[in-house]
Amino acid sequence: MASAKQVLVVDDNVDVVESLSAMLQCHGYETAAAHNGYEACDWVKDAMPKAIIMDLGMPWMDGFGAVRAIRRMPGAQSVPIIALTGSADRDSAKKAVAAGFTQHFSKPLNFDHLNRYLSSLS
């Protein structure tokens, strides 16, 4: 069973996963990692996290495909899924929300904004 403060970090860039996971852990979160959309889907099937932070541009299955697949899973309709992307334009945010993401953050990530958002979910 997932912890109430468990966050799944999904990005094909291992450095991003490790650094974001370390920052989250410093703020009291438990983290799990996936490196593409397929791994994220498998992880969510096994343990429902409190939130998911997912890159949009990944090989094999991108963030858009993964969020659509996760939203079809029983119990996953209300899990906050945060898009993390290098694109800061309003169009990118609209596409992410339309695909099923609940929030959109641009890289480089403002961790304080992310932490405030995650704290508001409690």
Side-chain angles (χ1 to χ4, degrees):
M1 187 69 167
S3 160
K5 289 191 75 165
Q6 190 163 51
V7 178
L8 176 61
V9 180
V10 187
D11 199 307
D12 58 314
N13 183 323
V14 174
D15 291 337
V16 169
V17 171
E18 289 178 356
S19 60
L20 183 52
S21 294
M23 286 192 290
L24 288 163
Q25 289 164 10
C26 285
H27 284 83
Y29 292 94
E30 293 176 19
T31 62
H35 299 288
N36 62 59
Y38 290 113
E39 286 181 15
C41 290
D42 286 345
W43 202 93
V44 172
K45 280 181 205 164
D46 293 337
M48 197 64 64
K50 172 193 175 170
I52 301 168
I53 302 168
M54 187 169 356
D55 185 30
L56 293 180
M58 297 179 289
W60 301 296
M61 180 191 279
D62 66 10
F64 291 108
V67 76
R68 285 190 289 268
I70 290 168
R71 290 294 184 217
R72 289 191 298 266
M73 293 179 191
Q77 292 76 23
S78 63
V79 172
I81 305 177
I82 301 156
L84 187 57
T85 177
S87 179
D89 63 83
R90 190 177 303 228
D91 221 32
S92 175
K94 280 185 188 171
K95 285 180 190 168
V97 171
F101 286 94
T102 48
Q103 185 60 269
H104 176 274
F105 286 97
S106 301
K107 294 177 185 174
L109 177 64
N110 181 323
F111 185 78
D112 288 335
H113 289 172
L114 173 66
N115 192 38
R116 274 197 298 275
Y117 177 73
L118 289 172
S119 295
S120 75
L121 301 175
S122 300

